[in-house]
Amino acid sequence: MWDKLALILLIIGGINWGLVGIFQFDLVAWLFGGAGSLISRAIYIIIAICAVWCISLLFRREAVADTGTSV
């Protein structure tokens, strides 16, 4: 569950950075009152934590897949 949540938030963060790079538009800052607002900074920190969490996906021995079946 945590892996999926972290990946979803990381994807949202990546899309935001794409908007910044292509259109110079920061969606998080626009929605929450500027890049320096407390809420925006909290969101940026959460996305950064998700990125660090997802690094662990690269080093796991076996892929984690939720197929709904038990072995």
Side-chain angles (χ1 to χ4, degrees), residues 5-29:
L5 179 62
L7 190 57
I8 289 168
L9 291 174
L10 192 58
I11 290 168
I12 292 169
I15 291 170
N16 188 59
W17 275 110
L19 289 172
V20 171
I22 296 169
F23 302 112
Q24 296 180 352
F25 177 71
D26 187 345
L27 182 63
V28 173

Side-chain angles (χ1 to χ4, degrees), residues 3-4 11-13 16-17 23 25 29 33 40 43 47 53 58 66:
D3 293 341
K4 287 182 182 180
I11 290 168
I12 292 169
N16 188 59
W17 275 110
F23 302 112
F25 177 71
S40 293
I43 291 171
I47 298 297
W53 179 274
L58 295 172
D66 185 21

Side-chain angles (χ1 to χ4, degrees), residues 41-58:
R41 291 179 59 199
I43 291 171
Y44 296 142
I45 291 168
I46 290 168
I47 298 297
I49 291 169
C50 289
V52 172
W53 179 274
C54 285
I55 290 171
S56 72
L57 296 176
L58 295 172

